[in-house]
């Protein structure tokens, strides 16, 4: 054995390495806190292709009106043979937009041969024109905007919203883009007015819930999602929809907010959600997390899972250990610990996943906190040793770092 090996073997066991914070997507054989586990539906639909009934033909968006159909293609040129490649590629890109594909799914299609792209575009234009002829009697996005401008009330408003939700779900992205910022502003305006009226009648609640469902459909693509996040009132109004007295609406609200919290964005969206919760709590003169705990007391299992989903999203996105511990402690002080005892007895897969995520995150933060306290203890008990090891004279000959000067 060489001297270095002997010296290394004779050293005391190195201090336990501080457990690094696990990323949301990493995997080492264990089940991790991933986007898909947290948001089984909403977030994946925000960033991927809209679900289609015809799953066997993902490259054909179905019989829907499309902005691409405005190009006049002669019948004898069904395969676009008479048009230059640049024109075909322009239509091809429009087709990808209408299909609501994310970049990962778009890339393999862009790598196809130009002949295949011509055929795909030809089929796309054919189905788009067929869909247009079948839907001539249906409403366009502009017609919905015009109807909402007339400020319908009660059953007339509910009927308009129900029809709008179906159109937002079934039409291509170009249709949603046409509805756009103006349509979104009208929806948020109606939601705010109904919330301000504080009318708990059946028709008012149904209209508010239908608006939430319209917002969910509107946000199911990057254009609608961007418009919603750009709006100053979007998140606060969703937070106001967290009403335990209306469990079915609250489920959709907390799930949308959970998806927003964990989206990758330049700004910390979870902080915007948390700020909105704080403001709402102050206005109602209650603790900001009280509506979530009240929701968990309701018999609805879906609502219990949704509340835990939002709690996990808010805590997990905090970058600082102190922040995560603070939020968890605040929830425990309000009674979450006692609620979890009863919730853990419920047999439900979605709820089980959320509870497992909560426990895993709490355990990791506990390990990090213990490691931090151990560092403080060592510094308090052996201050001279730590200063000597960190001094310039010994920095280049640190046994702990196995670094030697020659």
């Amino acid at each position: 054995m060489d001297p270095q090996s002997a010296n290394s073997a004779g050293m005391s066991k190195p201090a336990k390495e501080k457990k690094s914070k696990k990323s949301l997507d990493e995997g080492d054989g264990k089940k991790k806190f991933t986007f898909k586990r947290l948001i089984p539906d909403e977030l994946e639909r925000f960033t991927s292709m809209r679900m289609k009934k015809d799953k066997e033909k993902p490259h054909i968006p179905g019989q829907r009106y499309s902005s691409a159909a405005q190009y006049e293609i002669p019948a004898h040129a069904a395969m676009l043979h008479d048009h230059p490649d640049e024109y075909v590629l322009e239509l091809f890109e429009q087709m990808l937009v209408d299909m609501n594909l994310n970049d990962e799914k778009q890339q393999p299609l862009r790598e196809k041969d130009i002949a295949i792209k011509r055929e795909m575009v030809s089929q796309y234009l054919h189905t788009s024109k067929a869909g247009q002829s079948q839907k001539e009697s249906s409403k366009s996005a502009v017609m919905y905007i015009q109807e909402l401008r007339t400020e319908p009330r009660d059953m007339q408003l509910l009927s308009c919203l129900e029809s709008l939700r179906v159109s937002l779900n079934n039409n291509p992205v170009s249709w949603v883009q046409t509805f756009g910022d103006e349509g979104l502003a009208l929806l948020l305006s109606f939601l705010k007015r109904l919330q301000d009226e504080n009318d708990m009648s059946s028709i008012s609640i149904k209209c508010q819930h239908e608006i939430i469902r319209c917002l969910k459909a509107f946000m199911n693509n990057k254009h609608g999602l961007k418009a919603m996040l750009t709006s100053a009132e979007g998140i606060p109004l969703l937070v106001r929809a967290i009403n335990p007295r209306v469990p079915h609406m609250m489920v959709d609200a907390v799930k949308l907010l959970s998806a927003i919290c964990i989206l990758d964005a330049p700004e910390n969206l979870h902080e915007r959600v948390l700020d909105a919760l704080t403001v709402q709590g102050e206005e109602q003169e209650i603790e900001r997390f009280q509506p979530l705990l009240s929701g968990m007391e309701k018999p609805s299992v879906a609502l219990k899972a949704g509340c835990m989903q939002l709690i996990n999203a808010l805590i997990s996105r905090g970058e600082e250990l102190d922040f995560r511990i603070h939020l968890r402690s605040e929830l425990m002080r309000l009674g979450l610990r006692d609620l979890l005892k009863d919730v853990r007895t419920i047999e439900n897969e979605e709820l089980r996943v959320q509870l497992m995520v909560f426990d895993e995150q709490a355990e990791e933060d506990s390990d990090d906190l213990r490691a931090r306290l151990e560092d403080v203890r060592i510094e308090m008990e052996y201050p001279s040793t730590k200063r000597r090891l960190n001094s310039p004279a010994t920095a280049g000959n640190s046994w702990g770092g196995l670094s030697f000067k020659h």
Side-chain angles (χ1 to χ4, degrees):
M1 180 181 294
D2 57 49
Q4 282 192 3
S5 299
N7 290 334
S8 298
M11 290 173 59
S12 61
K13 290 183 178 180
K16 181 180 179 181
E17 290 184 3
K18 183 177 179 180
K19 191 172 184 180
S20 61
K21 184 67 182 173
K22 296 179 181 178
S23 68
L24 295 180
D25 290 319
E26 72 174 343
D28 57 2
K30 291 176 63 180
K31 291 185 177 180
K32 297 298 180 187
F33 177 59
T34 62
F35 285 177
K36 190 172 183 180
R37 292 179 62 211
L38 180 65
I39 311 294
D41 179 51
E42 284 75 20
L43 182 62
E44 187 174 12
R45 285 169 63 82
F46 284 167
T47 56
S48 63
M49 183 177 69
R50 182 174 309 194
M51 298 295 291
K52 296 183 175 59
K53 294 181 181 179
D54 189 2
K55 294 184 178 179
E56 295 181 356
K57 299 180 180 180
H59 62 282
I60 303 177
Q63 293 184 341
R64 300 171 177 173
Y65 174 74
S66 165
S67 61
Q70 63 184 310
Y71 294 92
E72 293 295 332
I73 305 298
H76 64 276
M79 293 297 291
L80 304 178
H81 289 310
D82 297 334
H83 294 271
D85 292 350
E86 293 76 10
Y87 182 75
V88 173
L89 292 176
E90 180 183 354
L91 292 178
F92 183 80
E93 289 299 320
Q94 180 62 51
M95 181 189 74
L96 296 182
V97 170
D98 274 354
M99 291 172 67
N100 198 20
L101 297 175
N102 60 20
D103 292 338
E104 183 180 354
K105 291 182 179 211
Q106 287 181 10
Q107 189 57 35
L109 295 179
R110 287 196 174 101
E111 294 174 355
K112 298 288 187 182
D113 183 80
I114 187 63
I116 297 178
K117 291 180 180 179
R118 284 180 182 272
E119 182 179 356
M120 292 174 66
V121 170
S122 177
Q123 292 176 351
Y124 176 66
L125 291 174
H126 175 73
T127 55
S128 296
K129 286 177 177 292
Q132 182 181 3
S133 62
Q134 289 181 5
K135 289 192 172 186
E136 285 180 350
S137 60
S138 66
K139 292 182 181 179
S140 68
V142 175
M143 292 174 65
Y144 279 108
I145 291 175
Q146 292 173 344
E147 183 172 356
L148 291 174
R149 282 177 182 167
T150 65
E151 298 189 356
R153 304 282 297 193
D154 301 333
M155 288 303 301
Q156 184 182 0
L157 174 60
L158 180 60
S159 176
C160 174
L161 293 171
E162 289 174 342
S163 176
L164 173 60
R165 171 175 54 82
V166 173
S167 294
L168 287 169
N169 276 317
N170 292 339
N171 281 296
V173 177
S174 56
W175 195 97
V176 180
Q177 286 180 279
T178 303
F179 188 73
D181 293 340
E182 185 176 3
L184 173 62
L186 287 167
L187 287 177
L188 294 179
S189 176
F190 273 102
L191 181 58
K192 185 178 187 301
R193 188 186 72 187
L194 292 169
Q195 290 175 342
D196 290 342
E197 291 173 353
N198 199 24
D199 182 4
M200 293 301 294
S201 64
S202 174
I203 187 64
S204 177
I205 294 302
K206 286 181 179 178
C207 286
Q208 291 181 52
H209 190 193
E210 203 61 44
I211 293 174
I212 299 295
R213 298 173 75 184
C214 285
L215 292 176
K216 177 181 176 181
F218 180 78
M219 296 166 64
N220 192 28
N221 59 84
K222 63 181 181 181
H223 303 285
L225 183 58
K226 180 180 179 181
M228 181 66 173
L229 297 180
T230 303
S231 168
E233 291 190 323
I235 291 177
L237 290 177
L238 283 178
V239 167
R240 290 182 64 181
I242 300 179
N243 187 348
R245 292 181 295 173
V246 192
H248 54 290
M249 179 175 70
M250 183 173 171
V251 170
D252 286 336
V254 293
K255 286 189 174 183
L256 275 178
L257 289 167
S258 302
I260 290 173
C261 282
I262 63 175
L263 286 172
D264 287 328
E267 59 178 325
N268 292 323
L269 294 175
H270 74 282
E271 292 183 357
R272 286 180 58 183
V273 174
L274 193 59
D275 289 343
L277 286 168
T278 303
V279 171
Q280 183 67 9
E282 291 173 350
E283 291 180 355
Q284 296 182 339
E285 296 183 348
I286 59 174
E287 297 287 348
R288 57 181 176 176
F289 293 135
Q290 188 58 56
L292 292 178
L293 298 185
S294 298
M296 292 189 64
E297 293 175 348
K298 298 294 181 180
S300 170
V301 177
L303 182 55
K304 294 178 190 291
C307 290
M308 284 302 304
Q309 185 170 296
L310 181 53
I311 288 172
N312 284 332
L314 288 168
I315 294 177
S316 67
R317 296 302 281 176
E319 296 180 358
E320 298 294 331
L321 175 62
D322 292 341
F323 173 84
R324 298 192 299 273
I325 291 177
H326 170 74
L327 291 185
R328 199 175 287 111
S329 299
E330 183 178 347
L331 287 160
M332 293 300 185
R333 177 173 55 82
L334 291 176
L336 180 60
R337 190 189 308 276
D338 294 333
L339 284 172
L340 289 179
K341 292 179 183 178
D342 296 330
V343 172
R344 294 184 192 280
T345 64
I346 300 175
E347 293 293 333
N348 179 268
E349 178 62 19
E350 183 181 356
L351 186 57
R352 184 190 68 81
V353 168
Q354 298 304 326
L355 292 173
M356 182 166 56
V357 168
F358 181 83
D359 292 339
E360 286 179 359
Q361 291 291 302
E363 182 182 355
E364 291 176 8
D365 286 345
S366 180
D367 290 344
D368 289 346
L369 181 60
R370 278 194 294 268
R372 178 192 290 185
L373 294 176
E374 180 65 15
D375 290 343
V376 173
R377 185 189 68 80
I378 294 175
E379 185 173 359
M380 295 286 289
E381 291 184 5
Y382 308 103
S384 59
T385 302
K386 187 161 187 176
R387 282 197 300 270
R388 186 173 68 250
L389 290 174
N390 291 333
S391 66
T394 59
N397 191 24
S398 172
W399 287 92
L402 297 180
S403 175
F404 301 94
K405 271 192 173 181
H406 298 284

